[in-house]
Amino acid sequence: MGFPALLLLAVYPQHITPLHRDPITHLLSSPNSTVFVGTPLSSSSSTFPGKQLRSGKKLVVMARRLFGLEEAIRIQRERELQPKIKYRRKQPLRPGRVSPCLPVPDEIPKPPYVSSNLLPKLSSEHQIHDAEGIAKMKAAGELAARVLDYAGTLVRPSVTTNEIDKAVHQMIIEAGAYPSPLGYGGFPKSVCTSVNECMCHGIPDSRQLQDGDIINIDVTVYLNGYHGDTSKTFFCGNVNPAHRHLVKVTEECLARGINVCRDGASFKKIGKRISEFAEKYGFGVVECFVGHGVGTVFHSEPIILHHRNEETGFMVEDQTFTIEPILTLGSTKSITWPDNWTTLTADGSPAAQFEHTILITKTGAEILTKPLQNTVIQVYNQLSSTLPDVCCWIP
C-alpha cells in the first residue's frame, strides 16, 4: 500500500520534487543544471597547475550534465516519432456504494493504528531485521502473495470490488492474520482495488467490473507482528492492446527497479532505472506516491522514489522495503475523491501499478512477496522482446 508523498511535505520536504513529465523541462529547471543553461563556462587565466586542475574538474561536470541533456533530448525525439494508437475511451470511473467494515475476530492481533482514525506519521526508523525478524517477514510476504494470487482469480466482468474485498478479508483472517489496510487512517476496507484511471487506494464498493477493465489489487497482511505488502494489476476480460502494454511495461519497471538493489547500492538508482524504461515507451511515472520501509511498522523510512532523483542514502543488508511504481498513459497529476483515499489521474488516462516487498542481501534482493507458481521477475531481455515499440493514449 503506497504511502502518499504529498503527506510528507511538512516533515520530509527534502523528499518531494515538483511533478514533471518532460525530461528536458526537468533537466533545464533543475537547480543543478545552471552550468549549461545560459551560464558561460568559467575558466582561469592563471597558468598555475592547481587552478588548471580545478577548471578541468568543471569541464568534467559540464560533460556529465550535457550527456544527461542529450539523453533527454533523444528520449523526447523518440517519443515524438512514435505513431499514436487510438482506442475508444471507457466511461469515467464513478463511486459506488461502500458497505460497512467487516469484523475481525478478537483473538487476531491487530496493529496499533487500528485504535485511531488518524493517519499514522511516517516512522523515521529503517527496518533492519535479525534472523527471527527475517523469518517472520518471509511468512507475512508469502501469505500476502497467496492472497493476491487468489484475489486475481476473482477478477472477471460483473464481479464487484466489494465481493473481492470480502473474499480477501475472509482468507486473511482464516490464516490468523489481520488485513493491514482496514482501519489504517480510517480506511474502511481490507484491500485496495484501483480500476482503470484510479492510480491507487481505490475503496472496494458496489461497482461491477466491466469487460476491458484493468484493476490493481493491493494486499497487505499483518502476521505475527509483521506486515507483508504487495500489489498487481490484473486484466478483466478483453483488455485493449494499449492497456495491456501499459501493464506489461509497469511490471517490467518493477523488475528493473528490484534488479539494482543490493547491500550498499544507492536508493536513487531505483528511480533512474524505472524512469529510463517508462520513458522509452512514452509513459509517465507518478511521483506523488512512493515506496516505503515495511516490517513491524506499516510505513517507514526509507522513502523509495520511482522517478529520477538525487536523494542520498544507501541500502543495508537485512533491510526491507517496498518498490511500487505507478505508470500512466497520460498525465501523472492526480485528483482525489471526497473520500480522501481514491486517487485518479487528472485527465482520466489509465494507470497501472505493481509492488513487491523485498529484503536486501549482500549480493542482491530477495522478493518476499513473489508468486507461488510462476516466476516473479522474468529476465528483462525476454520480456522486452515481447513489448511493442509504440503505444500512446489518446483522449
Side-chain angles (χ1 to χ4, degrees), residues 241-272:
H243 287 193
R244 287 183 174 273
H245 181 53
L246 170 68
V247 171
K248 288 182 179 180
V249 172
T250 306
E251 185 174 23
E252 175 66 1
C253 280
L254 173 60
R256 291 182 176 234
I258 294 173
N259 191 62
V260 302
C261 295
R262 58 183 49 81
D263 181 39
S266 62
F267 288 110
K268 66 183 180 182
K269 285 186 176 180
I270 297 172
K272 181 176 185 293

Side-chain angles (χ1 to χ4, degrees), residues 25 62 126 142 171 184 252 279 306 308 310 349 385:
T25 302
M62 175 76 169
H126 286 240
E142 188 271 339
M171 182 175 180
Y184 181 83
E252 175 66 1
E279 290 167 359
H306 303 115
R308 284 190 178 85
E310 292 300 326
S349 60
S385 66

